[in-house]
Amino acid sequence: MNTTPLPSEPIALATLRAVLTGRAQPYTRPGSRSAIAKQARSGPVAVGAEGLDGDEQGDLRVHGGPDKAVHCYAWPQYTPWREELAGHAAAQALLAQPGAFGENFSLDGVQESQVCIADQWRIGSAVFEVSQGRQPCWKLNDRFQVPDMALRVQRSLRAGWYLRVLQPGTVQAGDTVWLLARPQPAWPIARLLEVIDRRDCTPATLREILALPLPPSWQRLFQRRLDSGQSEAWDARLQGQH
């Protein structure tokens, strides 16, 4: 965990390997829609407050919006997934190129343990802020044809993370990710994902998390744990069961 103060100049944190967008389409289950099957874009792509030009979400109740404008996934994390899913042909085909997890940004050089909540990044002419980690849902099960894929992703802590847009602009593959500020160095995304997955309801931990600049959904999640002393149910999210 890096708690070293940042120098006054931006730090080259990572490289944008690919920029991906997709349109919402009918999905695997009756009435469902998804834009998880995203395609790599060439050349500059405009970024606005709601995300990338040409990108959509299938269910705006749980995806999209300013706090989930851009989904990031670390390209090096594909290697352990290829190893873990060696016997799954559909998964191997997906993992051959960026976009398997429905990410907008495929990144080289950084992963969940090296990205902190509220980090500020400049990519191209746009400025972003790390807003939260991803809580995977059942759509990954169907996409990978692995019945417990969403749970595997959650347990692995290799779930990816979201950005909000502080300054619109343009980005393109090959851009450097510049770290401008790291106000919460004690809280990398992996640590927050671990608290969620391990059903940690320790009051001191939850109070520390609730002091962070959380999006409303995570504010509610951790406040409910603190108030009740219990973790939330996951069946609807992980399996699509109510």
Side-chain angles (χ1 to χ4, degrees):
M1 186 183 307
N2 179 18
T3 59
T4 305
L6 292 175
S8 56
E9 296 297 319
I11 295 173
L13 184 69
T15 302
L16 187 55
R17 183 184 186 90
V19 178
L20 305 104
T21 61
R23 298 291 188 183
Q25 304 288 339
Y27 200 51
T28 53
R29 305 187 190 184
S32 67
R33 291 175 62 79
S34 180
I36 196 170
K38 300 185 186 299
Q39 302 298 315
R41 299 277 297 272
S42 61
V45 179
V47 182
E50 297 285 331
L52 304 181
D53 181 54
D55 195 47
E56 295 181 347
Q57 294 80 36
D59 186 349
L60 292 174
R61 298 172 302 164
V62 292
H63 298 119
D67 292 321
K68 295 182 178 179
V70 178
H71 177 234
C72 299
Y73 203 86
W75 173 249
Q77 301 287 38
Y78 275 50
T79 299
W81 284 123
R82 291 190 199 103
E83 295 169 355
E84 180 174 334
L85 301 173
H88 298 270
Q92 292 297 320
L94 288 173
L95 292 165
Q97 60 280 316
F101 296 89
E103 65 266 36
N104 298 115
F105 288 174
S106 176
L107 297 169
D108 277 315
V110 71
Q111 56 191 353
E112 288 83 352
S113 61
Q114 301 163 316
V115 175
C116 297
I117 195 162
D119 277 4
Q120 292 185 10
W121 297 355
R122 185 175 73 245
I123 310 174
S125 60
V127 179
F128 304 87
E129 184 176 64
V130 177
S131 54
Q132 66 185 97
R134 181 184 189 173
Q135 291 177 267
C137 76
W138 61 267
K139 291 182 178 179
L140 290 176
N141 303 343
D142 293 8
R143 177 162 172 77
F144 280 79
Q145 297 180 32
V146 177
D148 63 344
M149 187 64 187
L151 181 59
R152 290 183 188 223
V153 170
Q154 178 172 295
R155 288 277 155 85
S156 72
L157 309 183
R158 302 190 301 265
W161 60 94
Y162 289 101
L163 306 176
R164 63 171 62 91
V165 179
L166 299 183
Q167 175 183 301
T170 60
V171 299
Q172 62 181 329
D175 282 347
T176 298
V177 178
W178 295 96
L179 178 62
L180 306 179
R182 174 161 286 171
Q184 303 295 337
W187 284 101
I189 290 298
R191 185 181 179 193
L192 288 159
L193 294 175
E194 185 173 31
V195 169
I196 292 174
D197 179 67
R198 306 323 186 237
R199 298 189 181 276
D200 190 344
C201 293
T202 308
T205 300
L206 296 176
R207 290 191 184 99
E208 188 175 349
I209 291 172
L210 285 164
L212 299 171
L214 303 174
S217 61
W218 271 25
Q219 187 79 28
R220 291 191 297 270
L221 184 155
F222 292 112
Q223 187 65 56
R224 286 169 183 161
R225 284 196 182 188
L226 181 62
D227 293 343
S228 68
Q230 297 180 334
S231 61
E232 62 287 347
W234 298 338
D235 285 351
R237 174 169 59 84
L238 294 177
Q239 295 294 335
Q241 299 171 352
H242 297 278

